[in-house]
Amino acid sequence: MSGDHAHELPFWRKHIFSVDHKTIGVQYAITALLFMLVGLLMMLIMRWQLANPAQAIPGIGNLLGEANAPGGVVLPDFYNQLGAMHGTIMIFLGVVPLAVGGFGNYVMPLQIGAPDMAFPKLNMMSYWVYFVGGVIMLASFWVTGGAAQSGWTSYPPLANIASFGQTIWLIGMIFLITSSLLGSVNFIVTILHLRVEGLTFARLPFFVWAQFITSFLLLLAFPPLEVAGILQLADRVLHTSFFMPSGLVISGEVLDIAGGGNPLLYQHLFWFLAHPEVYVLILPAFGIVTEIIACNTRKPIYGYKTMVNATIFLGFMSFLVWAHHMYLVGMSTKMSMFFQITTMIISIPSVILLTSLLLSLWGGAIRYNTPMLFALAFLPMFAIGGLTGLPLGLAGADIHLHDTYYVIGHFHYVVAPGTIFALFAGIYFWFPKVTGRVMNETLGKIHFFFSLICINGVFMPMFMQGLAGVSRRLWDPTQYAHAQPTQPLNVFILYAAIGLGLAQIPFIINFFWSAFKGKQVDNNPWQATTLEWIAPSPPPHGNFSKVPSVYRGPYEYSVPGQSDDFWLQSDEGKK
């Protein structure tokens, strides 16, 4: 034991500036959940405006600021700020930090038998760079002109001439990207070098594989976006013209720009990250769901090796489809055809993963606890998100559907009832390992059923609005003749969104009550097989009293001849 940890650490070293992967994982998770709550509140304000255009939000007065919502009436500029920041917060400050920074940091070292991450101080730095980036993002609401208004994509030239909040957004994004790069290097080195004896790649839990491939996606895809952010920052602050074309007319006047920049260059740099980013969201979710389904069916995962190979192929292909977001920019039909073909190909590994998990249910002695309910709901929800994405991958269909509510519905089915349901499943599943206590099942099931009903009520109608041609980012849809017939759907979505928000109250109560007063359980309450369940709950610094060894694969459930229906990876021989 090093001298640093031979004595009790002071509070600020143990709980704030900690280098223990478990503390950092909890910091990531709590911070990300708080940001997701902020993103949810922003969504509720936007849905009110869409359902009741230019009407005051009752009981809110000037709480949102006179410049943003005088008398509670959301102004168009503030609506654009909410749209841009909701997307940014939910993806870059919420889902990815929770899926990778939270679950990855806490669970992955335990599952490979490591005492900590390979670079503990780098791990701590990764969290604090993320935290600073998040604070900078939120602080932009209080600068002159408000927060970023150019969407979560920050497309130039609009983003280059937007208010000062866009500069703050870019600075915040650079911090967030740096955080992800630090974390991804750490994850890769940890998985390659700190696996315990016997834990070959063929015996890795699927969750570890998912984090491993996700880390490569982050490492390879984020640098182009960081470059794009730095160049756009230079355009705004140093008056360069990387993305600013010559002859740009603003308010009737030609903008005096030295060079002929290209806005499409930014789009290529952005989407080269932002499409792999979808799989950065999804792969950890698949990893979580796989662990839970294997445990709660009491049988091995169907096609483990096929799933691993499909995931590796998915990671590779994710770098070859980015321009299917750009069919309307005027690319040649040959290039469109290339990206159509690769988009159709990348759907195959996703189908393999879903099919393997569905077949894993066949013949299982399924336990319908709260984590399993969320994991089971993930499967059809992600399937809806994936299937509705196929028309967007075809250039002909995308001409009609591009930038409509159909795209919003498709993407949110992947991320909200898809990925976020998987993250809830993971919270309920690993909560006993973090706290030594199990979350309340009754409150968990109330949370699940109301969330499932309401979240479909929010996003399913968006497909109908999109097919009707209703554009996204409309402050008042009733101003457009083609959007007026779908306006009742906006009212319905508002009620569903309020229901979804209320459905999170049982989770919040359950989370904090269970952390202190929940039922205490042993080290392996789910009777699972992977290494994290042999560590004490919660694990001490260093994780294991004795370094474990691995003798078999990760999902040895219901093995003939065994006295129990689970066989730990670390158990030496037959019982």
Side-chain angles (χ1 to χ4, degrees):
M1 187 178 287
S2 67
D4 282 346
H5 303 291
H7 59 278
E8 186 67 21
L9 294 169
F11 177 86
W12 65 274
R13 280 285 310 279
K14 189 174 181 180
H15 298 288
I16 302 174
F17 296 105
S18 174
V19 294
D20 189 322
H21 74 96
K22 298 180 294 297
T23 303
I24 294 168
V26 170
Q27 287 175 326
Y28 260 116
I30 298 293
T31 309
L33 285 169
L34 288 171
F35 277 124
M36 288 168 70
L37 182 61
V38 172
L40 176 68
L41 294 173
M42 289 181 179
M43 180 270 283
L44 290 171
I45 297 169
M46 293 165 69
R47 293 316 315 180
W48 171 270
Q49 164 59 29
L50 291 169
N52 307 281
Q55 292 184 31
I57 303 172
I60 205 166
N62 288 327
L63 185 65
L64 298 174
E66 187 69 27
N68 299 324
V73 178
V74 175
L75 297 180
D77 280 356
F78 185 55
Y79 180 84
N80 282 341
Q81 292 173 37
L82 291 174
M85 296 303 288
H86 167 78
T88 305
I89 286 169
M90 294 304 272
I91 295 172
F92 295 108
L93 292 170
V95 176
V96 173
L98 179 54
V100 181
F103 285 106
N105 254 312
Y106 199 101
V107 177
M108 181 274 288
L110 288 167
Q111 286 198 333
I112 66 172
D116 207 321
M117 297 289 276
F119 307 116
K121 289 182 179 177
L122 198 70
N123 204 19
M124 178 189 72
M125 186 176 174
S126 171
Y127 169 74
W128 283 105
V129 171
Y130 153 70
F131 181 81
V132 169
V135 170
I136 289 171
M137 283 284 187
L138 287 184
S140 65
F141 277 105
W142 283 272
V143 302
T144 304
Q149 301 178 33
S150 305
W152 75 280
T153 54
S154 188
Y155 275 7
L158 177 63
N160 282 24
I161 60 172
S163 63
F164 180 64
Q166 200 70 37
T167 300
I168 304 296
W169 186 93
L170 288 165
I171 294 169
M173 278 302 297
I174 290 168
F175 272 88
L176 297 177
I177 294 166
T178 303
S179 165
S180 291
L181 290 174
L182 295 173
S184 61
V185 170
N186 211 350
F187 274 52
I188 291 168
V189 175
T190 301
I191 294 168
L192 286 176
H193 291 287
L194 295 188
R195 287 170 290 126
V196 292
E197 184 184 355
L199 189 58
T200 62
F201 278 102
R203 291 175 173 174
L204 282 180
F206 187 73
F207 177 83
V208 177
W209 270 112
Q211 294 287 342
F212 189 50
I213 294 161
T214 298
S215 298
F216 275 106
L217 297 185
L218 289 169
L219 187 64
L220 297 173
F222 256 133
L225 182 61
E226 186 148 28
V227 168
I230 291 168
L231 295 182
Q232 191 176 98
L233 196 60
D235 278 4
R236 289 183 55 84
V237 177
L238 304 178
H239 305 296
T240 56
S241 54
F242 292 107
F243 307 128
M244 293 292 278
S246 299
L248 192 66
V249 177
I250 299 175
S251 301
E253 295 185 11
V254 178
L255 205 63
D256 183 24
I257 297 167
N262 189 345
L264 291 186
L265 172 60
Y266 176 89
Q267 290 194 31
H268 281 291
L269 291 170
F270 179 87
W271 287 113
F272 189 76
L273 163 276
H275 198 86
E277 179 76 5
V278 174
Y279 300 104
V280 169
L281 302 169
I282 276 296
L283 289 181
F286 266 114
I288 292 167
V289 166
T290 301
E291 301 297 314
I292 293 168
I293 286 178
C295 179
N296 286 299
T297 55
R298 314 311 291 168
K299 62 193 287 284
I301 285 293
Y302 182 90
Y304 165 84
K305 288 182 180 178
T306 306
M307 288 180 70
V308 170
N309 291 331
T311 309
I312 294 169
F313 182 65
L314 189 71
F316 171 75
M317 286 299 297
S318 70
F319 290 99
L320 299 177
V321 298
W322 79 90
H324 68 209
H325 297 272
M326 300 171 57
Y327 287 139
L328 269 64
V329 303
M331 71 174 77
S332 71
T333 52
K334 289 181 180 179
M335 288 308 297
S336 291
M337 182 60 69
F338 171 80
F339 286 107
Q340 284 183 112
I341 291 168
T342 54
T343 302
M344 295 304 110
I345 290 171
I346 203 173
S347 66
I348 296 170
S350 299
V351 171
I352 290 171
L353 293 174
L354 269 181
T355 305
S356 293
L357 292 174
L358 285 169
L359 289 172
S360 297
L361 301 174
W362 184 263
I366 301 175
R367 304 187 301 196
Y368 292 101
N369 48 43
T370 304
M372 187 61 169
L373 291 173
F374 274 104
L376 289 175
F378 165 85
L379 302 178
M381 296 297 98
F382 174 74
I384 293 171
L387 285 171
T388 53
L390 292 177
L392 297 171
L394 301 171
D398 189 58
I399 290 171
H400 178 67
L401 297 172
H402 188 84
D403 246 1
T404 66
Y405 267 94
Y406 184 94
V407 179
I408 303 285
H410 150 68
F411 180 69
H412 281 82
Y413 260 97
V414 173
V415 175
T419 302
I420 293 176
F421 268 29
L423 296 177
F424 277 133
I427 290 170
Y428 283 100
F429 186 65
W430 279 298
F431 191 86
K433 182 52 54 182
V434 179
T435 64
R437 302 174 185 270
V438 72
M439 292 180 77
N440 182 275
E441 276 290 305
T442 303
L443 285 173
K445 286 173 180 173
I446 291 170
H447 174 220
F448 167 73
F449 284 111
F450 281 100
S451 292
L452 180 64
I453 293 165
C454 292
I455 210 163
N456 280 284
V458 172
F459 298 118
M460 187 62 75
M462 292 182 182
F463 293 125
M464 293 173 255
Q465 291 181 309
L467 290 167
V470 180
S471 299
R472 64 202 293 194
R473 304 193 182 107
L474 296 181
W475 174 72
D476 181 359
T478 61
Q479 294 179 357
Y480 302 85
H482 70 288
Q484 289 170 6
T486 68
Q487 183 59 18
L489 290 176
N490 279 325
V491 178
F492 177 81
I493 291 171
L494 171 64
Y495 291 133
I498 293 170
L500 179 62
L502 294 175
Q504 307 318 303
I505 294 173
F507 169 73
I508 296 169
I509 294 169
N510 197 357
F511 186 89
F512 289 105
W513 183 86
S514 298
F516 300 102
K517 300 288 186 179
K519 178 186 172 185
Q520 289 186 313
V521 290
D522 62 20
N523 296 340
N524 191 3
W526 309 113
Q527 296 183 314
T529 56
T530 44
L531 291 181
E532 75 268 31
W533 300 108
I534 68 170
S537 300
H541 186 78
N543 298 336
F544 303 95
S545 54
K546 177 188 174 187
V547 178
S549 296
V550 168
Y551 300 96
R552 63 194 55 83
Y555 307 118
E556 296 292 327
Y557 291 99
S558 303
V559 177
Q562 287 296 106
S563 56
D564 295 324
D565 67 348
F566 68 104
W567 200 2
L568 284 162
Q569 283 190 288
S570 57
D571 281 353
E572 226 171 310
K574 282 189 176 271
K575 294 179 184 174

